[in-house]
Every structure is written in structure tokens, then in C-alpha cells.
Amino acid sequence: MLVATACAGGEPPTSGASPTASAATTDKPVAGGRVVAGATGDPKTMQPIISTDTQSSFVWQWLYLGLTRTNYKTGETESSLAEKFEQSKDGLTLTYTLRDNLQWSDGTPFTGEDWRYTVHSVARSAKTVRKSTFQDIVGWADYRDGKTNSISGITVGSNGKTIEIKFAKVFCPATAAMGGAGGGILPSAAFKKVYDPYTTDTKQNIDDNPLNMNPPASMGPFVFKEFKPGIQVTLGRNDKYFRGAPLLDEFVIKVYADATAIKNALVTGEVTYGTVEAKDYEEVKKVDSLKDFRYKTSTYNYIGWNAKAAKAPWLANKQVRQALWYGINVDAIMQKIVFGLGTQVYAHTPPPSWAYDEAGLNKYKNDVAKAKSLLEQAGAKMGSDGIYRWTDGSTMKMRIETNQGNNARETILQFAQEQYKQIGIQIDPLLESFNALLDRTDPGTDFEGFIIGWSLGADPDPYSIWHSSQQGKGQFNNIGYNSPTVDQALLENRNGPDCSQTARKAALKKVDQALNDEAPYTFLYSADGLFFANKQLQSVDPSTYSSTWNIEKWWFKK
Amino acid sequence: MAATDATVQQLRVPVAETRRVSAGLWSDAVWRLRHDPTTLVAMAVLVVFVTLALGADFLATSFFHRAFSQQDILSSYEKPSLAEPWQWLGTDELGRSQAVRLLYGARVSLFVGGFGALTALVIGLTAGVTAGYFRGWWDDVVVWLVTTLNSIPRLYLLLIVGILWRLEPFPFAMFLGLLGWLGICNYARGQTISLREREYVLAARTVGCTPLRLMVRHIVPNILPLIIVLGMIEIGQLILTESAISFIGFGIQPPTPSWGNMLTNAAQYLSKAPHLIFPPGLAVVVTVLCLYLVGDGLRDALDPRLRGAIGTRR
Amino acid sequence: MGRFIARRLVQAIPTLFGVLLLTFLLSRLSPSDPVKLMLYGNTEVTQEDRAQLYHALGLDKPLPVQFAEWLWQLAHLDFGNSIYYHRPALDLILERVPNSLQLSLLAFVFIVGVGIPLGVIAALRRGRIEDHGIRVFSVVGHAVPEFWLGLIFVLTFAVQNRWFPIGSMNVVGTDCTLCWDRAWHLVGPVLVLSIAGIANLPRILRTEVLEVISQDYVRTARSKGLSEQAVVAVHVLRNALIPVVTSFGTILLLFFSGQLIIERVFNWPGLGRLTFEAAVSKDYPVVQGAIIIASTLLILSYIIRDIAYAWVDPRIKVK
């Protein structure tokens, strides 16, 4: 008796059955159950084309899929609705072949026409941010501007089983970018009743129609059931899902006031799975009913500096921007704000990417003296109040803004204010809602610094962020970054003609090196994904590019 | 928020008792106060708080040796310790001294409450007395304004203002005052209406006193004592309002500390630094409590018949 | 009584007008550009669209004309579209009102149910331990920030001990209004929302009861040999209730503000939370509509309060 206890010490009390036998019996997946996920707001829309916020994409991602998807771990493009995809040798033609017998949840067959419909709707939408993806397709601009009633470069053949796309120039990320069709593919049969894009009338678009809030059919693992504003979105099992009907009966997206409320719900078991903020990681890790996962993410946070800022002309000066990078102690941020749960970055390409390479990049180790001397080299003169004066005599004072509700960013903002005071630059911090921040920092001259992050796709194509042509209203190069070398390298990476990984990696290296040297952003860090799931939930395997890629296999152990 | 109609209803009692303010009233009041230990203690606490808030700069430089914005991020989330004065209440997420921030928070919160209440008092007294004295269209306008403002939930109004303007402590306090004068105005108006018919006022009028002189010399002194009590209570209410509006993110913006935004911040970091939550919370509760107690005590001292009658909240 | 109600309704018109005028002026006096407010988050808006909207909003007309046009729109129940949800603001608001009313009405009943007995006890046991206890509770109840109490409730009773849910109206999967599940979810928000009211009522009631008790007719009733309970119930309470009904005005005003906080803390999908979320995303039409609807509800509550007052105090009818 005594011996037995001693031997069992440290082991959880188990029944007499042998572990292998019990595992075999209980590990047989059982159907049924409901997963509850938390969101911090209602979805704005359930239609991918006009969706710009995470609350929205968190709903439609279960309904509308792409032709291809990103491998959850490696980031490679893999088959999804399309069985195979081929790029011609010259890189100018891309052909997708769909799987057999694909069906929408309402029984309508899924065909290439659904994809074609979606791309046409993107072209005419006034609210989408996805147009640049398709701009290299032959006939795109003519259709967009209403000169033709369809895009000539797109052909759907073999009774809708193949899609052939012709490009005006080589487009390296084409397979992944085209497959997604700007988010997910819409059920054209149902949507055509409310909006028909095959016309030259550019006034009409898909932006406002009742189906945007009431998805008619699904290709994904779940179907839309019900939306109760302020409470939840309920999704049911899609028995026609091509990877097999999910074991779960229901998927509920419940709305909470903020990240702290979701964390509480995770701890009490109300929410089945979700990610937490770095500051809460240790606390949630102690909760017995949860298991934790941690992985690198394809994201990074940064402080952006608007080179066109009317009130801060010094931001156009490279030495000043470098001083701003030397002037902030990113090590301390990593240690005390990120709690070591992330990777410091020095340029654009995020750590999990195959193109990531930090060799040769300046690490900008915190150095107040160096920052000050850089400012002085740039022509700034110290004022009597300890704040520098710029060459035109104005006080070096500027605003940095960030979004409310993101704790790490709010803290970094206050930290930056104190840090920059040390190097003689005065900061006026401003907190606002995420929407307001996006609106305030739209390309223009009336903002200076801002703290925000990028969440990037697996295929590294930073064209829309850094190319000098991308500075229009609603576009992503809002800081007015303009470098001919980088423009050139971006095009090499995007349009080849050599689309091999080695060639693209070399092009991206040029981009990263230039960005690291010119410091248009103060690059901060890429936060780890801190994912928790209820211990009863089985088969969960989250990673960098997807935490729910195999959701049809999730099941509850009783 | 403002002491509203119910409060005023309660105050109908003293009308019959009102007399000209004399040395007797004040000395009676002082005598009564001296025999009211609760009020005296509450007053003492308030005096200490106000002194600390006023001396924040001095204390920060010569005793704590820390500025309220001074960060030391490598020593963040530290528990309270007796090693150095600035560590007495621990440090926050940026390694700032919680003790020093509490001091400055006191300054901001007390200023917002105090200045807001003062604004409310001035507007309420002026509007109430003139409306009650002149009656006619002016009275109608004032009554209409009071009813209107009383019909808009205050936090909703503050939200809309929060969207349209970005408020610093000074305009913020002023704005709170602009919303908080209703109860005071109602009381002042009611009292004036009954006072202007009293013999000594009528007498003064026949002698040829100007309306201004009449109001300033004969009416205001009579109603001022209880107005001051209402003002004390208003301060407490405004401090609570500030903390509530800070909680929903539309109050005083960090890094300027106020008890309200410190409390909100502490709630965010509860798992990392539970010690941050108590000092600002206690500061709010104790201050507001003392203000109410002093208000109660003063009222009792000024007019014992009113015991328990005022002090409705928001 | 009918005439009294009619008169009271007519009196509400200038008040409502005032609310509308104030709301209108706030948006026009602010430094924020109304066109920009209307277009928040819209990425592809051309200068032409802006000019068009400027004109459509009538911003090129004189202020009084703008106001009149706006009133005309409101009269047609057109509160504008939510910038965030692309749906009529009024729809969004009205679907939340019942949830808020449920919370408020219950809290109100709770305040009356607990506050009145406490007030009577405080008066009858004047100067004894019960009286002092109630006084301490009253004063402290006034001084504690509501959101603070709410957060503490959630942390202690929902996160650490799983006695109550952390928020919202129903457990996921249940959807009912009159059931135990809803009652279980209501405990926290109702309790916290009521604290200030419960702290308020006994103080008023105590004074009144004390005053009434000392009146002649109560002494007469007592000398007739009626039991103490009967005296309290019949004579004292009825008379003491008058000022209590008046104080409902304060309680109501307090509710509408408190809701905003409580609904956020307890994740209650009511008008307050909608307004707060709309304010955060600068969804101006929704915030503006919510203020108008909340004020209208408040004005209506005042009217009901006054009717109750007239009913409790017959003297009003005579006037």
C-alpha cells in the first residue's frame, strides 16, 4: 500500500484501467457540443468585400472560403476549394481547377462563376480596400472604370470547373492572392438577385444590400443561423462542408465589452477558446481548466512617422527618424510591456516568414547621446527649456496617437512620451478609437506619429504598404514613404519576372535594409500568439497562420 | 450629479424658519459643530487632503524626489515597500510612483470637483435668485432650462461632449459645472420667491433699494449657508462623475492622473499589480464620504430642523 | 385625473423641444466637422461626395432652417443611419430599449422594496443600532463609485467564485426573458444599480416618518388603541410616501446615467452599452439618437412619477 502511494506520487489520480486502454476509448471523437468564442464588438458586416474590421472577418471566415488557403504552420499556399493551381511558364496565366461536386450549404453547386462574380464586385465596390490585389489582371481597369461590362482577362471554363486568369504583367503572389478573391468567395446565385456586376454602370455596387448582414449560403464549416445585436452571432454545422461535416453542432461568437471581459469569460469557462493579452498570460496560464498554446505571428507593432506632416517637418529628415529609433528603449518594452512574449523586429518582413532575415540590420540599441547628436547633425538646436528647436525655429513638439483598448500600445505611448522627453522632443499623446485612428491617419498632412500594427498575409508582398504609388485616400502608405530603390525592389518581388523564392528573398532583403536604414517606422516587435482552449476541447492545433484550420475535427471529451 | 428636484422638495421646510442672517446663526452653528465629532473628523480629513493636493509639487520634489510622470519602466509593478517614500504605494505599469500620482490625482480630482461645484454654485445662485426675484419671462426661461437639462441623462450628455471636444481638466470641470447647477438654482429660486414677500424685503423695497442691492444684501445672505452645503455635496458628486466618465474613457486623459483614470488603469492591470486598485478607490470613497458628512454636519449646525433632509445623490 | 395627465403631457412639449435644441446646437457648435463625423471610417470618399453630403445635410443653410429641417426629419422618425452598422440608428436604439427597461424596472422595484422598510425601521428604531447602521450604509452607499462596485462584484462573485455569471442576459444557448437563467443574470446589475437608490430612500423616508409620527392624528390613532403596525402602515406610510414619490425623479435620472456604466460592466446589451460603444467608434447618429430617446424616456418617467404623486397626494388634484 505504502509503496503504491509512493510510486503514484506526482501522478494525477487515475482509475485502475491502463492508460493506453482508456485513451483508446475516450479519444474516439464524439459529435455534438458548442464552441463559444469572444469578440469585442458586433460584426459591422458579414460580407468580405467591404469588411475592414476583425469582428466582421471573424464571422464571414466561417462561411466564405477561398480557392486556396495558407498552411497553418508553414505559410505555404495549399489547395482548398481548388484542387490544383498552375502558373504558366511566363507567369502570365494562372489556372485553378476546382474540386468535384462542391456544393454550397443551400445545395447550389459551387462553380468558377462564384469566384468571377466576387472579383467583379470588388472592382466596383466603393468601400473595399482589396482592389490593388487584382490590378494586374488584363482588362481590370477598363471594367473598373465602366468601359466594359466584364473583365476580359478572366475565363471560366469546363462547366465552371476551371478558372483562367490572364495578367498584364507577372504577379508573383498571384496563386495565394487570387484564390482568396479579396477575402472569401460569395454565393453568386443568391447575390445576383440583389446586385449584378456585369454592366457598365459604375454607380451600382454591392456595398449596401440586405444579404451583407444575412449570409444566404456557406462553403465553410458553419452556416449562418442568427445575429442578435450586442449579444451574439450563432452559426450552425454545415453538413455539406467539403472537408466533412464538423463534429461541433454550433459555433457562437459572443460579444464582450473588452479584452479583459473576454479573459474573464475564458477563465470561467464561458468562452471555449481565445487569445489573451501579454499582461494576462501568466494569470490565465495558472487556470487548470485551460491548456495553452504559444506561437509566432505574422504581425508587428510600430510607431509610424508621417514624412508629410505639416506640423512636424522634421519627420521628413532621415537622421531625425533614426534619432527617434535610438531614443526609445525597445529592450525595456520587450521586457516590461510585452513580457518577453514576442520578437523584436528591425524591418518589415515578420519573423515567421520564409523571407525573414535580420542579418545586417541595424539594431538601434537605445542610446540617448547618439539620438541627440543625430538631431544636432540634422540641424536641431537645443532650446532653453530642454526641447530642441528645428531649423525653422519651431519647437520640436508633435502628437503621437494610438487606439484605445489596446493596453500594450497605450502603455508604449506613455513610455514613448517620457523617452522622447529625454532626447529633447516633446510628445502630445492622444488616445482614440481604432476607427477614429484609421480615419485620422489616412494619407494626408494632419498627423505626426502613431502606434499601430500590421497583420500580414503569409506571402510577403509589402507593395501596398511601401510603394510610393500607394498614397491615395484609404491606401496604406499613409506616411508618405517614397524611395525609388524600394519601389524597384517591391516591383521585383511582386512582378518578377523571376518569381523564385531566392529572387524574391533578395528583393525583400533590399526593401528591409532600406527601411531599416531610413527608419520611416520605428519598428517595435512581433507579438506571440497566446492561445488558450478549454481542456475538454480536442484536436485543437493553432499555429502562426491559423488557429482554427481543422475546426471540423474539434470535439469535446466528456 | 446635481441635487435635483427631490432635494429641493426637502428644502421647503426652512422657509418658515428663515430669518435674517445674524451673528447668532453663525455662532450657534459653530457651537453645534464643535459638539459634532463626526463632522469635525470629516473636516479634518478634507483639510489634510486639500493640503496634500496643494503641496503636491513641494512634496514631490523635496520628499518623494519623483515627478508624477517620471518613469522607471524596469521597476514596474513593484509592490508597496517602505524602503523609499516614493515606493510606499508601489509602482504602476510604467514604474511610476503610485504615491506621487495619488497626490497629483488628488489635485486634479479635487480641482474638477471643487471648480465644477463653484461654477455650478455661481450659475445656480445667479439664475435662481434673479429668476425668483424678477419672475416673468426670465423665470420661465430659467425654469425651462432647468427642466430641459434635468431631462437629459448626464452621462449621455458628457459622452456626446467627449466625442465632439477633447477636454483638459479646466474646461472639463467647467463643463461639469454647467450641468450641475440645477439643484442649487431650484433651491435659490424657491427661497427667493418666498423671501421677496417678507416684510423686511418689502420694507427695503419701499425705501428705494435697487433690485441688485436687494438681492445681494437681503436675499443672498439668507440662502447662502444652505447653498454652501449643497455645493459641498456637489463636489462629491462631481468627483464620482469624473471617475465614472474616466471609466468609460471620456474623462481626463492619461498621463495626467486623476483618481478616476488611476482607478480605471488599475482595473486593467489587476492581475499584474493588484495593489494599484486600493489607493485611488479609497481616496475617492473617503473624500466623497467626508464631503457628504461635512455637508450633513454643516446643515445640521446651521439649522437643526433639517436633520437628514438633504444630501440626495446625483 | 384625465385633465391632469393631459396638462402634464402638454407641459412636456417645451422640455422635449429644449432637449432637441440642445442636442442640435452641440453638434453645430463643436469644432468637429459634421460631414467628417458622418463619414468616419469611410475610406473612399471623394471631395465631390463631401460637398454633396454637405449640401444634403443642409449645412449651407442658416442655422434655424437647418434645425427646422432636422426636426422635420425626426418627426418622420428618421434619425439617420448608423455610420458603423449601416442601419437606421432608430432601429438599433429601439431594439435595445426593452433590455434596459427590464434592468431599470427591476432595480426600481428593488429600491422601493428594500428602501422603504429600511427607512421605516430607521425612524421607528431612532437612535438605536439599526438607525445608525442604516445611516452608515446610506452615507457609504453614496460615496462608492458604481463602476467600482460592479467590477468588484464581477471579480469576487463571478470570476473567483462562480456564483454568478460575469455578465450578459442569458447563458449561451438559452434565450428567455422570464426564467431562472435571466433572473440569475440580473442579480449583479440590479444590485449594483440599486445601491445608490437604496442609500437614498431611507434617509428621506426616515425624516418624513419621524415628522408624521409626531403629528396629532397619529397620536389620536394610537390612543384609540390601534396596534403600532397598523398605525405605521395606514397613517404614517401613506403620508410619508409623498416626498418619496418625489424623490423618484432623482432615482430615475440616476438610473439612466448609471445604466451606461452598469451595462458596460455587466455586458448588458441595453441602450447604455449601445451608446457607449457608438461613442467609442464616433458613430454620431446613434449617440445623438440615443440621447433623444433616453431623454424622451426620462420625460415620460417624470410624467408617470407626477401622476403617481397626484394619486398619493390628493391635494394636487384640487390645485
Side-chain angles (χ1 to χ4, degrees):
Chain A
M1 200 52 197
L2 257 171
V3 178
T5 347
C7 283
E11 292 285 306
T14 44
S15 62
S18 82
T20 43
S22 74
T25 46
T26 53
D27 279 359
K28 191 174 181 309
V30 274
R34 174 195 296 122
V35 157
V36 181
T40 50
D42 281 337
K44 204 167 159 180
T45 176
M46 297 183 205
Q47 195 260 74
I49 296 177
I50 56 168
S51 147
T52 48
D53 58 317
T54 47
Q55 284 93 357
S56 297
S57 58
F58 197 62
V59 176
W60 60 252
Q61 62 164 343
W62 307 110
L63 312 172
Y64 303 133
L65 306 185
L67 296 173
T68 56
R69 72 171 180 184
T70 305
N71 181 283
Y72 76 111
K73 240 177 198 151
T74 62
E76 282 165 17
T77 304
E78 61 183 27
S79 75
S80 181
L81 293 173
E83 199 168 19
K84 50 184 186 183
F85 37 92
E86 287 167 308
Q87 222 162 349
S88 64
K89 285 219 177 72
D90 59 3
L92 291 173
T93 313
L94 173 64
T95 316
Y96 290 100
T97 311
L98 305 188
R99 282 170 202 263
D100 291 327
N101 306 321
L102 288 174
Q103 260 187 9
W104 287 94
S105 57
D106 63 357
T108 337
F110 176 90
T111 70
E113 172 53 25
D114 291 319
W115 184 85
R116 185 165 168 255
Y117 175 90
T118 309
V119 174
H120 280 78
S121 300
V122 171
R124 292 281 169 83
S125 166
K127 286 181 184 155
T128 194
V129 290
R130 306 178 199 281
K131 282 185 190 176
S132 68
T133 316
F134 304 103
Q135 66 189 22
D136 294 332
I137 301 181
V138 172
W140 165 266
D142 285 348
Y143 170 75
R144 184 195 59 202
D145 303 335
K147 287 180 194 145
T148 54
N149 63 5
S150 69
I151 301 171
S152 57
I154 299 176
T155 335
V156 173
S158 325
N159 286 328
K161 218 178 162 260
T162 60
I163 302 165
E164 191 187 86
I165 309 157
K166 285 205 170 354
F167 294 95
K169 50 185 167 189
V170 178
F171 184 46
C172 295
T175 2
M178 294 299 120
I185 300 165
L186 298 175
S188 61
F191 268 92
K192 228 173 197 164
K193 289 180 197 134
V194 293
Y195 167 65
D196 185 352
Y198 303 116
T199 153
T200 49
D201 177 8
T202 55
K203 284 265 179 284
Q204 287 175 40
N205 58 43
I206 201 165
D207 299 350
D208 290 299
N209 78 70
L211 295 183
N212 288 352
M213 274 320 257
N214 193 11
S218 163
M219 272 317 280
F222 298 104
V223 291
F224 175 70
K225 255 194 189 165
E226 191 193 14
F227 171 44
K228 285 199 272 178
I231 303 173
Q232 64 191 47
V233 178
T234 312
L235 306 173
R237 191 179 66 223
N238 177 8
D239 290 325
K240 296 201 168 73
Y241 184 46
F242 76 97
R243 288 191 184 94
L247 293 161
L248 300 166
D249 284 336
E250 223 169 41
F251 188 96
V252 172
I253 298 149
K254 195 167 171 175
V255 177
Y256 291 90
D258 53 22
T260 311
I262 296 183
K263 182 209 78 190
N264 286 341
L266 199 58
V267 170
T268 59
E270 192 173 298
V271 154
T272 331
Y273 81 89
T275 52
V276 302
E277 292 177 278
K279 71 177 169 61
D280 296 323
Y281 183 68
E282 284 303 318
E283 183 205 1
V284 181
K285 220 178 150 176
K286 286 187 200 129
V287 177
D288 287 335
S289 58
L290 298 170
K291 52 185 164 189
D292 72 300
F293 301 86
R294 190 177 146 191
Y295 43 83
K296 286 200 185 319
T297 62
S298 189
T299 64
Y300 68 84
N301 284 296
Y302 63 90
I303 312 179
W305 306 110
N306 183 10
K308 291 182 172 171
K311 286 177 211 144
W314 50 85
L315 287 178
N317 185 298
K318 173 175 146 184
Q319 279 163 318
V320 172
R321 293 193 307 260
Q322 286 179 334
L324 287 167
W325 200 337
Y326 279 116
I328 190 160
N329 187 346
V330 187
D331 282 337
I333 293 180
M334 295 309 294
Q335 197 184 329
K336 285 296 195 169
I337 300 178
V338 190
F339 303 103
L341 303 166
T343 316
Q344 195 174 338
V345 295
Y346 310 98
H348 177 84
T349 309
S353 171
W354 51 258
Y356 180 72
D357 175 17
E358 59 168 72
L361 297 181
N362 185 353
K363 300 284 162 70
Y364 288 93
K365 188 114 190 78
N366 183 222
D367 187 341
V368 175
K370 180 148 190 181
K372 282 185 163 176
S373 82
L374 276 166
L375 287 173
E376 274 153 26
Q377 280 168 39
K381 300 249 174 341
M382 180 54 87
S384 56
D385 51 359
I387 305 295
Y388 277 105
R389 298 289 181 277
W390 187 235
T391 46
D392 61 3
S394 60
T395 312
M396 289 184 75
K397 179 181 170 198
M398 63 183 164
R399 178 181 279 182
I400 301 183
E401 41 207 306
T402 194
N403 62 306
Q404 235 161 19
N406 185 315
N407 255 293
R409 287 181 200 158
E410 283 178 32
T411 315
I412 292 171
L413 176 56
Q414 292 194 46
F415 181 61
Q417 186 189 15
E418 273 298 287
Q419 291 271 296
Y420 289 146
K421 205 198 268 169
Q422 313 292 325
I423 62 165
I425 293 175
Q426 198 181 334
I427 301 298
D428 171 25
L430 175 66
L431 286 179
E432 57 209 341
S433 76
F434 189 67
N435 285 335
L437 178 69
L438 290 188
D439 192 76
R440 286 254 324 124
T441 57
D442 212 40
T445 56
D446 188 29
F447 65 97
E448 291 101 46
F450 57 100
I451 306 173
I452 201 168
W454 283 119
S455 180
L456 303 162
D459 189 283
D461 176 23
Y463 173 83
S464 59
I465 297 175
W466 297 109
H467 197 270
S468 57
S469 68
Q470 302 294 306
Q471 300 179 20
K473 191 111 195 77
Q475 288 183 314
F476 294 150
N477 185 355
N478 57 346
I479 55 159
Y481 183 70
N482 193 344
S483 152
T485 355
V486 168
D487 279 359
Q488 177 61 35
L490 284 168
L491 288 174
E492 274 167 34
N493 172 57
R494 187 181 166 93
N495 300 120
D498 183 358
C499 282
S500 69
Q501 262 193 19
T502 2
R504 292 186 69 192
K505 197 170 174 176
L508 288 167
K509 183 81 202 171
K510 277 187 246 170
V511 174
D512 277 346
Q513 247 154 356
L515 294 178
N516 177 262
D517 177 53
E518 291 182 55
Y521 290 171
T522 293
F523 290 91
L524 298 174
Y525 63 94
S526 170
D528 287 349
L530 308 171
F531 185 99
F532 288 88
N534 194 305
K535 270 197 177 136
Q536 256 120 38
L537 195 62
Q538 305 298 309
S539 311
V540 183
D541 184 16
S543 190
T544 301
Y545 296 103
S546 173
S547 51
T548 52
W549 62 282
N550 62 343
I551 195 157
E552 72 278 0
K553 297 204 175 66
W554 289 13
W555 60 283
F556 281 102
K557 196 165 174 175
K558 294 275 148 41
Chain B
M1 302 195 188
T4 46
D5 48 4
T7 313
V8 174
Q9 185 70 26
Q10 291 306 308
L11 287 168
R12 70 195 138 77
V13 195
V15 175
E17 289 292 300
T18 319
R19 56 213 132 160
R20 290 212 58 193
V21 180
S22 60
L25 176 65
W26 287 108
S27 60
D28 282 0
V30 170
W31 187 87
R32 286 196 203 95
L33 269 184
R34 278 167 59 182
H35 292 79
D36 183 355
T38 322
T39 311
L40 288 178
V41 170
M43 272 179 158
V45 172
L46 285 180
V47 168
V48 169
F49 275 26
V50 171
T51 316
L52 285 175
L54 289 176
D57 280 332
F58 174 76
L59 284 171
T61 44
S62 55
F63 181 66
F64 290 107
H65 307 293
R66 284 264 155 161
F68 74 88
S69 60
Q70 190 178 337
Q71 301 175 0
D72 180 4
I73 196 164
L74 294 177
S75 52
S76 59
Y77 303 110
E78 272 179 10
K79 294 212 159 39
S81 106
L82 290 174
E84 291 281 334
W86 66 272
Q87 293 171 318
W88 280 354
L89 298 176
T91 60
D92 68 4
E93 77 279 7
L94 287 161
R96 295 175 297 201
S97 162
Q98 178 79 349
V100 176
R101 288 182 70 75
L102 197 68
L103 268 186
Y104 279 87
R107 177 184 269 196
V108 172
S109 289
L110 290 174
F111 170 78
V112 165
F115 185 72
L118 188 69
T119 314
L121 201 146
V122 170
I123 300 176
L125 194 63
T126 316
V129 171
T130 50
Y133 186 85
F134 293 116
R135 307 303 300 265
W137 67 269
W138 172 239
D139 190 31
D140 292 339
V141 169
V142 170
V143 170
W144 172 73
L145 254 179
V146 170
T147 331
T148 301
L149 283 175
N150 245 334
S151 302
I152 307 179
R154 203 106 345 130
L155 277 187
Y156 282 70
L157 207 53
L158 283 168
L159 265 191
I160 212 167
V161 170
I163 301 178
L164 299 171
W165 285 279
R166 185 183 168 208
L167 295 179
E168 301 295 330
F170 183 73
F172 184 75
M174 188 109 115
F175 194 81
L176 286 179
L178 280 176
L179 296 177
W181 53 279
L182 311 174
I184 293 170
C185 171
N186 266 341
Y187 172 73
R189 177 178 166 270
Q191 292 293 297
T192 310
I193 291 175
S194 79
L195 281 175
R196 74 196 275 266
E197 304 304 329
R198 295 190 79 82
E199 282 152 22
Y200 69 90
V201 179
L202 289 175
R205 201 185 292 164
T206 44
V207 176
C209 270
T210 59
L212 181 70
R213 192 181 153 81
L214 254 174
M215 286 186 275
V216 174
R217 289 292 303 272
H218 298 284
I219 294 176
V220 173
N222 262 304
I223 56 181
L224 202 57
L226 274 162
I227 293 273
I228 290 171
V229 173
L230 283 177
M232 298 286 286
I233 291 161
E234 187 68 30
I235 300 176
Q237 287 163 346
L238 292 186
I239 290 176
L240 286 177
T241 306
E242 186 274 323
S243 73
I245 200 84
S246 283
F247 170 65
I248 49 179
F250 288 91
I252 308 285
Q253 294 299 318
T256 306
S258 79
W259 287 340
N261 68 30
M262 287 177 72
L263 207 49
T264 310
N265 194 48
Q268 292 287 327
Y269 291 97
L270 203 59
S271 64
K272 281 276 167 200
H275 61 269
L276 293 178
I277 207 108
F278 298 106
L282 273 177
V284 170
V285 174
V286 170
T287 310
V288 177
L289 194 67
C290 288
L291 282 162
Y292 285 153
L293 288 176
V294 171
D296 268 12
L298 273 181
R299 181 208 52 222
D300 290 352
L302 286 165
D303 195 335
R305 279 217 49 192
L306 281 172
R307 181 174 283 275
I310 52 169
T312 43
R313 181 197 189 194
R314 280 179 276 186
Chain C
M1 194 54 134
R3 274 182 62 197
F4 173 77
I5 297 174
R7 203 182 63 212
R8 195 59 192 76
L9 281 172
V10 171
Q11 281 171 352
I13 295 173
T15 314
L16 189 61
F17 178 81
V19 170
L20 295 173
L21 183 66
L22 191 76
T23 322
F24 174 80
L25 285 180
L26 269 180
S27 72
R28 293 304 190 270
L29 289 177
S30 85
S32 318
D33 172 11
V35 175
K36 208 152 184 198
L37 274 177
M38 290 300 185
L39 290 175
Y40 251 112
N42 228 337
T43 49
E44 291 202 2
V45 184
T46 60
Q47 206 52 44
E48 217 170 89
D49 294 337
R50 277 177 202 276
Q52 212 174 2
L53 190 66
Y54 192 80
H55 186 73
L57 288 172
L59 295 171
D60 42 1
K61 294 176 187 151
L63 270 185
V65 178
Q66 286 184 37
F67 182 55
E69 284 181 355
W70 185 65
L71 285 185
W72 186 243
Q73 263 186 12
L74 293 185
H76 290 83
L77 295 181
D78 176 9
F79 283 64
N81 269 348
S82 156
I83 294 160
Y84 192 76
Y85 295 113
H86 308 288
R87 287 177 58 204
L90 191 63
D91 291 5
L92 282 166
I93 293 164
L94 291 184
E95 66 196 16
R96 301 295 184 96
V97 168
N99 299 344
S100 286
L101 283 184
Q102 187 179 25
L103 193 60
S104 309
L105 288 177
L106 216 70
F108 191 74
V109 171
F110 192 65
I111 289 177
V112 173
V114 177
I116 290 185
L118 283 184
V120 174
I121 291 169
L124 294 183
R125 311 286 294 174
R126 182 185 185 183
R128 309 218 196 138
I129 181 111
E130 294 92 330
D131 185 21
H132 290 305
I134 292 168
R135 181 175 144 97
V136 169
F137 169 78
S138 280
V139 181
V140 175
H142 275 168
V144 181
E146 269 165 347
F147 77 91
W148 190 232
L149 270 182
L151 287 176
I152 288 175
F153 184 95
V154 170
L155 276 175
T156 355
F157 299 120
V159 179
Q160 272 159 16
N161 304 296
R162 312 279 162 81
W163 298 342
F164 293 102
I166 56 167
S168 73
M169 301 207 302
N170 281 119
V171 153
V172 175
T174 355
D175 183 13
C176 58
T177 317
L178 295 168
C179 56
W180 281 114
D181 180 55
R182 178 61 63 87
W184 186 53
H185 281 78
L186 274 165
V187 173
V190 165
L191 215 61
V192 178
L193 192 56
S194 315
I195 290 287
I198 295 179
N200 197 1
L201 208 47
R203 283 157 66 89
I204 300 168
L205 200 61
R206 178 182 179 277
T207 324
E208 290 302 320
V209 171
L210 282 178
E211 200 153 293
V212 177
I213 281 179
S214 61
Q215 305 274 318
D216 287 344
Y217 65 92
V218 177
R219 256 179 262 148
T220 318
R222 225 180 248 166
S223 60
K224 277 197 302 191
L226 285 174
S227 73
E228 187 74 20
Q229 280 95 338
V231 172
V232 169
V234 179
H235 292 284
V236 177
L237 254 184
R238 165 109 200 197
N239 283 286
L241 272 182
I242 298 167
V244 171
V245 173
T246 318
S247 80
F248 287 170
T250 321
I251 294 176
L252 287 166
L253 185 61
L254 185 155
F255 263 4
F256 279 91
S257 283
Q259 250 173 18
L260 214 100
I261 305 289
I262 300 302
E263 291 185 353
R264 172 163 154 73
V265 172
F266 288 97
N267 206 32
W268 192 265
L271 184 59
R273 208 184 95 198
L274 175 77
T275 316
F276 160 72
E277 285 168 0
V280 168
S281 50
K282 301 218 173 189
D283 197 341
Y284 194 74
V286 174
V287 179
Q288 198 177 39
I291 286 206
I292 295 170
I293 298 296
S295 305
T296 312
L297 285 172
L298 191 57
I299 293 172
L300 283 176
S301 325
Y302 284 155
I303 295 177
I304 295 171
R305 190 257 331 248
D306 289 348
I307 294 170
Y309 190 65
W311 179 70
V312 178
D313 187 355
R315 279 171 300 176
I316 297 278
K317 272 182 238 166
V318 184
K319 275 185 213 163

